[in-house]
Amino acid sequence: MRIIGLALLGCLLAGPALALTAAPPGGPDEGGGVGGTILAPSAGVQFYRPDTTKVPYSQVVRVGDILYVSGQLGVNQDGKVVGDMGVQAKAAMDNINAALARVGSGMGAVFKCTVMLTDMAQWAAFNQVYVSYFKPDRLPARSAMGVGALPLGAGVEVECWAYAPK
């Protein structure tokens, strides 16, 4: 009886561990996509990754009616960090807007943003640009944090969630 109990306990403990190591939906064995989009029909998840990008993540992921926009830096089209905080904030928000436009949405659909700043003293300069992208009565929920560093030496990174019913 003790041996059976231990074997059952071992199976119960191993079960979740095995599930955690399983490939997530949309993995390589679910098939490919077209034009930078990989579809995971069984999970209802769509991944949008422009064909020209070299970064190892999707720019936008749709799960049901929600669009998750990966963090966008204050960089120009050449991938170079641009100017002071005001210029970088505008570039980051323009990059969010462009990512949403590529999937048929826009800034009016954004309901949540996360902002990362390498210098919290630049918060006011960021806010001055940020508010210009939304209607005053439709500002998204937002979190912000100071971080030690961002890729490419950027001063700001912004990620957003948007509601976009199919």
Side-chain angles (χ1 to χ4, degrees):
M1 184 70 169
R2 188 174 261 169
I3 293 173
I4 293 173
L6 290 175
L8 179 58
L9 179 62
C11 287
L12 290 173
L13 291 175
L18 293 173
L20 291 174
T21 60
D29 46 353
E30 287 217 27
V34 177
T37 302
I38 298 173
L39 300 178
S42 64
V45 178
Q46 294 175 303
F47 300 84
Y48 300 92
R49 188 170 184 273
D51 293 330
T52 57
T53 189
K54 296 179 181 169
V55 293
Y57 59 85
S58 296
Q59 189 174 46
V60 179
V61 175
R62 174 187 280 278
V63 180
D65 290 341
I66 305 298
L67 299 172
Y68 299 90
V69 182
S70 291
Q72 300 295 306
L73 300 172
V75 296
N76 62 19
Q77 291 189 357
D78 296 328
K80 306 285 185 206
V81 175
V82 293
D84 65 8
M85 177 52 67
V87 176
Q88 284 189 45
K90 182 175 181 342
M93 296 306 291
D94 285 347
N95 291 337
I96 293 280
N97 191 35
L100 288 167
R102 281 196 234 10
V103 296
S105 189
M107 298 302 284
V110 173
F111 66 88
K112 169 72 169 98
C113 292
T114 303
V115 180
M116 293 151 272
L117 297 165
T118 57
D119 180 1
M120 290 302 288
Q122 296 295 315
W123 182 242
F126 172 79
N127 279 336
Q128 189 173 18
V129 173
Y130 175 85
V131 298
S132 70
Y133 284 80
F134 304 102
K135 293 180 181 177
D137 62 338
R138 296 203 28 109
L139 293 169
R142 183 173 73 179
S143 301
M145 65 194 83
V147 297
L150 289 168
L152 306 176
V156 64
E157 182 172 357
V158 182
E159 67 178 25
C160 296
W161 298 8
Y163 179 67
K166 293 181 182 182

